[in-house]
Amino acid sequence: MYQPDLSPLMDSLALSALVAALPLLTLFLLLGGLRLKAHWAGLASLAVALIVAVACYGMPVKLALLSTGEGAAFGLFPIMWIVVAAIWLYQLTVVTGRFEDLRRAFGLISDDPRVQAVIIAFCFGALLEALAGFGAPVAITGVMLMAVGFAPVRAALTVLVANTAPVAFGAIAIPIITAGNLTKIPYTDIGAYVGRQTPVVALFVPLLLVLLVDGRRGLRQTWPVALVCGAVFAATQFVTSNYISVELTDIIASLAALAAVVLFLRVWQPAGGEQARAALLRERDAERGDGAGPDDAVPSGAPREEGGAGATRPVPTATATIERPDSGARVVMAFLPYLIVIAVFSLAKLWTPAKEYLATTDLKLGWPGLDGHVLTAAGQPSTATVYTFPWLSSPGTLLLLSGVLVTAVYRVSPLVAVREFGATVVRLRWALLTVASVLALAYVMNLSGQTITIGTWIAGAGAAFAFLSPILGWLGTAVTGSDTSANALFATLQQTAGHKAGLDPTLLVAANTSGGVVGKMISPQNLTIAATAVGLVGRESVLFRAAIKWSLLLLLALCVLVLLQSSLLAGMLP
């Protein structure tokens, strides 16, 4: 039976926290400093975590290796299962030529790429986050931006930054519900607090997106529509989370923001759209000329090769077979896969009979050799050693079902659909390894006690902890790629620290959730998903260095906000 010691080195919490942080420092250094490929950085950091767990924390080698196995399994299913299914669904639209229709259909709303970034990455991405989460929004919206002319790096960075504000209420508010279950604070209360924090981020994210797409010129020329989008999303997120339904927050907010943008564009159009598009196309062509375009990963409506690696027979491009969607029927057919996704997820997550039935299909397995042999730092049996296999309720399975329906409606040959699925798995092979290694790293750090040591040390800051509280959520999400996992790690710690420091425990638990939303863009898991979607496999370090400054900037803003909410702006809270 293994129980982690929070201060294994010279009984010093600070020294132990410094050593416990070595795997994370290794990961960020290899990615951001040495620009190592993500799968090598993940494996190297996993090795450091294993050494720290065994040598410093005294975790038996067998348990450390079993923790590695469980984490890797979780990384492959359900996490990468979602990504594989999402990319396969996209591939079905490519082989039928319908994705080119979709690209042109977005032009019916606006042909300005800066506005398209707001619509696709922020509004549509938020809707996908509300229903699925776990990387699916980044994968799908990344290839959609590529289809409208974005260069790979800019497309990936745009969707990573956009995938922030909706994360706290993602997957039908699972992060908040998880925090409530662990702390016994009503999740509706936590949701109400979060609904008075993340809208501040949401207000500025669309403005940040147009800045990322077209620099200062883009911000100067398109700020009105970006501000309308952010303001409507923020206001709706606040109202829905506080007075309507925590679970439906992002669904209502994303649809309201999309409707507001469409209506606003009827009375106002930004200038400079043609110049912005020309600049993006030049950048895309330059990146492809440098070999940075999508070669071994998912193409984006460009000429592709049939049959995967090694094949040479080209498939005709979408533009060679599908004309401009000049009718309502063609536009509906272009959006049909995503309408199907929304319908399937709405039934599964919002229709009570289906939701309850799917919950009964999850298989829970005590990880052999690990379950029952690991305690938490508090001496309670660890629940992290129970592996849940959501074979039917997983968003990945729901996306697979959506793909089957798309196959039938688009009349895709079953042989072609199966071949595309196999080719997708082959293309994602390095992404599979990366996410498996990063989740293995997270499990080793969690079960050995490294993560809780870092959190406990930060929580010792007393009243100043209000400022530091979002950092724990940021850190947890950066490591695991999931705001839900970050709450599973630190929600109870935040609650305890709040009681000890005389701070509102609900505020700190909410801050953990809100901090996690800005940590997701630098998570190796999310970086890998974004890189794979746009064809930048092995160049995750480029995205990390581009995203880290925005992540830290938004984190600082949240830290200041929570500090003020704990004192001067206490009236801002419920």
Side-chain angles (χ1 to χ4, degrees):
M1 186 69 70
Y2 171 74
Q3 180 178 353
D5 180 0
L6 296 185
S7 306
L9 295 178
M10 302 174 62
D11 202 29
S12 169
L13 184 62
L15 180 60
S16 299
L18 179 62
V19 173
L22 287 177
L24 301 180
L25 295 176
T26 301
L27 183 63
F28 294 150
L29 175 63
L30 293 180
L31 273 180
L34 301 182
R35 307 182 187 182
L36 208 61
K37 293 183 183 296
H39 54 276
W40 294 122
L43 290 172
S45 303
L46 171 59
V48 173
L50 286 169
I51 293 171
V52 172
V54 174
C56 299
Y57 280 77
M59 189 178 200
V61 174
K62 177 183 176 181
L63 296 182
L65 293 177
L66 288 171
S67 301
T68 301
E70 185 185 4
F74 183 76
L76 295 176
F77 195 103
I79 301 299
M80 282 307 294
W81 172 234
I82 298 169
V83 180
V84 169
I87 297 297
W88 173 66
L89 176 65
Y90 157 75
Q91 281 297 109
L92 294 176
T93 67
V94 172
V95 297
T96 58
R98 294 294 180 182
F99 200 82
E100 183 67 11
D101 262 0
L102 181 65
R103 180 183 70 81
R104 292 173 174 174
F106 274 113
L108 299 178
I109 301 176
S110 174
D111 58 1
D112 190 316
R114 302 161 299 183
V115 176
Q116 289 175 335
V118 172
I119 293 172
I120 297 171
F122 187 77
C123 298
F124 188 63
L127 181 59
L128 291 175
E129 180 68 35
L131 296 170
F134 296 99
V138 169
I140 293 175
T141 58
V143 293
M144 291 175 77
L145 287 186
M146 287 281 286
V148 298
F150 279 61
V153 172
R154 196 172 298 275
L157 180 60
T158 300
V159 298
L160 284 169
V161 173
N163 189 224
T164 49
V167 168
F169 297 95
I172 317 297
I174 285 298
I176 293 172
I177 293 173
T178 298
N181 289 339
L182 291 171
T183 61
K184 306 308 177 186
I185 300 172
Y187 77 88
T188 51
D189 292 351
I190 300 173
Y193 275 68
V194 174
R196 296 167 190 243
Q197 294 170 348
T198 57
V200 177
V201 175
L203 178 63
F204 294 100
V205 167
L207 293 167
L208 183 54
L209 295 183
V210 297
L211 178 66
L212 289 173
V213 173
D214 195 33
R216 295 179 182 176
R217 178 183 63 182
L219 181 61
R220 185 176 62 254
Q221 294 177 339
T222 62
W223 69 265
V225 67
L227 186 61
V228 166
C229 179
V232 171
F233 187 94
T236 309
Q237 197 177 51
F238 161 71
V239 172
T240 306
S241 62
N242 278 265
Y243 305 111
I244 301 176
S245 168
V246 172
E247 293 91 337
L248 300 180
T249 295
D250 276 350
I251 295 177
I252 297 175
S254 59
L255 293 175
L258 179 59
V261 170
V262 172
L263 293 175
F264 186 73
L265 290 175
R266 290 191 172 188
V267 298
W268 180 89
Q269 288 289 332
E274 288 298 323
Q275 295 93 325
R277 179 168 297 283
L280 289 177
L281 292 177
R282 286 195 300 271
E283 180 185 45
R284 183 192 64 183
D285 293 341
E287 285 196 20
R288 286 178 174 175
D290 292 338
D295 36 27
D296 65 340
V298 180
S300 58
R304 55 185 300 279
E305 293 189 352
E306 186 177 29
T312 57
R313 186 163 64 89
V315 172
T317 63
T319 52
T321 56
I322 299 293
E323 66 272 18
R324 179 176 177 81
D326 51 4
S327 69
R330 297 195 68 82
V331 172
V332 171
M333 289 298 289
F335 281 99
L336 185 63
Y338 305 101
L339 296 175
I340 289 175
V341 168
I342 293 171
V344 169
F345 275 90
S346 297
L347 283 174
K349 302 292 186 178
L350 303 179
W351 187 40
T352 302
K355 182 178 180 180
E356 292 177 349
Y357 170 73
L358 289 174
T360 64
T361 64
D362 291 353
L363 302 178
K364 296 184 181 296
L365 170 69
W367 199 257
L370 189 64
D371 187 42
H373 295 277
V374 178
L375 300 177
T376 65
Q380 301 296 320
S382 175
T383 58
T385 58
V386 177
Y387 173 70
T388 300
F389 185 69
W391 67 277
L392 189 56
S393 64
S394 165
T397 305
L398 298 178
L399 284 169
L400 180 70
L401 174 60
S402 301
V404 171
L405 295 175
V406 170
T407 299
V409 175
Y410 280 175
R411 299 180 181 178
V412 179
S413 164
L415 180 61
V416 171
V418 172
R419 184 190 63 207
E420 287 297 329
F421 190 90
T424 298
V425 173
V426 172
R427 293 187 189 102
L428 294 176
R429 60 192 181 278
W430 295 118
L432 292 166
L433 176 59
T434 299
V435 174
S437 63
V438 169
L439 267 296
L441 161 72
Y443 267 68
V444 171
M445 289 189 65
N446 296 345
L447 292 175
S448 66
Q450 296 172 60
T451 306
I452 201 69
T453 292
I454 298 171
T456 303
W457 176 65
I458 295 176
F465 183 60
F467 178 83
L468 301 175
S469 179
I471 297 177
L472 285 183
W474 177 85
L475 177 66
T477 304
V479 174
T480 65
S482 165
D483 202 14
T484 302
S485 298
N487 278 344
L489 286 174
F490 294 129
T492 303
L493 176 65
Q494 296 268 15
Q495 182 185 34
T496 303
H499 285 301
K500 290 182 178 179
L503 299 169
D504 184 351
T506 307
L507 172 64
L508 300 188
V509 174
N512 194 82
T513 307
S514 300
V517 308
V518 296
K520 194 163 185 176
M521 72 175 78
I522 61 165
S523 161
Q525 171 189 312
N526 239 30
L527 291 172
T528 299
I529 292 170
T532 303
V534 302
L536 292 174
V537 174
R539 298 188 63 199
E540 292 86 353
S541 59
V542 175
L543 300 181
F544 176 81
R545 287 183 288 111
I548 183 66
K549 60 183 178 182
W550 302 113
S551 179
L552 292 175
L553 178 63
L554 293 173
L555 175 64
L556 177 61
L558 276 174
C559 289
V560 172
L561 175 62
V562 173
L563 177 63
L564 292 175
Q565 287 181 331
S566 69
S567 53
L568 298 178
L569 296 181
M572 183 179 176
L573 301 175

